[in-house]
Amino acid sequence: MEQLESRLRKYVAFEDAVFARLRENLPREDGEQLGSEVVQTWRTGPTAPTRTGRSTRPPR
């Protein structure tokens, strides 16, 4: 359990560092656009992959 906790803490620290660098280097408008695209994809994307790893949603 301690090993898992240690790995999770390292992973969270890495993510924090990545997002901090994004905030510093990505123009606000680009960040807002990227965020909107992520939210839209999250809302319209497949809920779960099939056993083959493909989406259950038909192509558009």
Side-chain angles (χ1 to χ4, degrees):
M1 190 60 132
E2 290 177 20
Q3 186 179 19
L4 174 62
E5 184 178 333
S6 173
R7 287 182 180 190
L8 286 172
R9 288 183 188 279
K10 287 179 184 177
Y11 180 74
V12 169
F14 170 77
E15 279 194 343
D16 286 347
V18 168
F19 284 112
R21 289 189 69 187
L22 271 174
R23 278 190 299 274
E24 292 171 4
N25 296 298
L26 189 66
R28 182 180 180 99
E29 297 81 23
D30 292 347
E32 289 175 358
Q33 178 65 34
L34 182 60
S36 295
E37 291 175 17
V38 168
V39 168
Q40 183 63 29
T41 301
W42 176 73
R43 288 182 178 158
T44 61
T47 56
T50 62
R51 290 181 65 146
T52 62
R54 296 190 181 123
S55 169
T56 57
R57 240 173 240 230
R60 294 181 192 194

